[in-house]
Amino acid sequence: MAAHIIDGKAIAAETRAQLATEVAAFKNETGVIPHLAAILVGDDPASAVYVRNKERACEKAGMKSTLHRLSAETTQAELLDLIAQCNNDATVHGILVQLPLPKQIDEQTVLDSVTPLKDVDCFHPENVGLLAQGRPRYQPCTPRGVQVMLEKSNIEVAGKHAVVLGRSEIVGKPMAMLLVQKGPVANATVTICHSRTANLPEITRQADILVAAIGKPNFVTNEMVKPGAVVMDVGINSVDGKLVGDVDFDAVAPIASAITPVPGGVGPMTIAMLLDNTLTAARLAAQ
Ligand code: GUN
């Protein structure tokens, strides 16, 4: 049986419409407009597209967004100065520093400098710590997007074996934390695999839910997937000018029970979750 194709675009649109209603109610109640400050350093074309999409999504949800564009030659001190201004600006609720950053800038130092209450990416150690303890302040955007897609697709997660392919700080690790924690759309048995994992296909074939987040185009083949598994593809790779995921979709879709496409799968969910975190940030500031 062919897999159910999980429509990330539709689920993201539904989530954003719901969010727009919540933003309107919050504005009514408090007179405050949730405000995201995005910082883009350099001229990476993919990053410019992401940031523009974030701005548009904010606008559509009734939120304010400010884009700070800095040149590729920006020094770390200049960037830290701008972040300090945003940290101290009471009208800014969420701060997003678009990654990757130019090589003269230390990413960790910059991400650590965002005040935890405005850290809507959930990259600050305080927020990662809260997440690890099962009491998240913010939900990491891409992993949370995957979890919402599982929820909206009525996929049972509790007691299942979820295998996360990739151990990045942005996706792999926080994804594993969300799925293993107590709560709805969680309580899974979780394995994290990475570049040094031995007998990788043997492990991925045990997955009831397989999350691919390694950044290698078409890496997951049908031999690596158990028939009937749910396959969530976080990969966004450009091959000959075309976007492809980490999963060989044509090979895997015939044996999976459900699968996300690329594009139109996990990607659109990330922005929806960022907006959700920005509203949370505005609520925390209003308290
Ligand atoms: N670059 C690629 N993904 C992300 C993300 O989720 N957040 C930020 N800030 N930069 C990114």
Side-chain angles (χ1 to χ4, degrees), residues 164-227:
V164 178
L165 205 44
R167 56 178 159 181
S168 70
E169 307 298 335
I170 298 190
V171 183
K173 277 192 213 168
M175 182 79 253
M177 285 198 273
L178 286 188
L179 292 173
V180 82
Q181 73 189 6
K182 293 176 183 170
V185 205
N187 282 314
T189 303
V190 178
T191 302
I192 304 180
C193 298
H194 48 78
S195 55
R196 303 296 295 271
T197 296
N199 305 320
L200 180 69
E202 203 175 289
I203 297 168
T204 57
R205 273 200 303 271
Q206 292 170 29
D208 301 306
I209 299 168
L210 180 61
V211 183
I214 38 165
K216 291 189 180 163
N218 299 317
F219 180 83
V220 176
T221 58
N222 52 328
E223 290 95 46
M224 296 170 71
V225 177
K226 176 169 74 175

Side-chain angles (χ1 to χ4, degrees), residues 39 47 50 54 96-100 111 121 123 141-142 170-171 270 274:
I39 302 174
S47 290
Y50 290 141
K54 285 166 190 169
L96 176 137
V97 183
Q98 184 66 32
L99 303 177
L111 297 181
D121 258 327
F123 289 163
C141 301
T142 301
I170 298 190
V171 183
T270 300
L274 175 71

Side-chain angles (χ1 to χ4, degrees), residues 259-283:
I259 187 167
T260 62
V262 176
V266 177
M269 293 300 294
T270 300
I271 292 182
M273 297 304 114
L274 175 71
L275 301 187
D276 197 21
N277 282 345
T278 304
L279 175 58
T280 300
R283 285 197 170 121

Side-chain angles (χ1 to χ4, degrees), residues 11 144-157 184-185 232:
I11 298 172
R144 177 64 185 153
V146 170
Q147 198 181 32
V148 170
M149 292 173 97
L150 292 169
E151 180 181 21
K152 300 279 182 187
S153 308
N154 295 313
I155 291 163
E156 183 65 47
V157 176
V185 205
M232 310 300 284

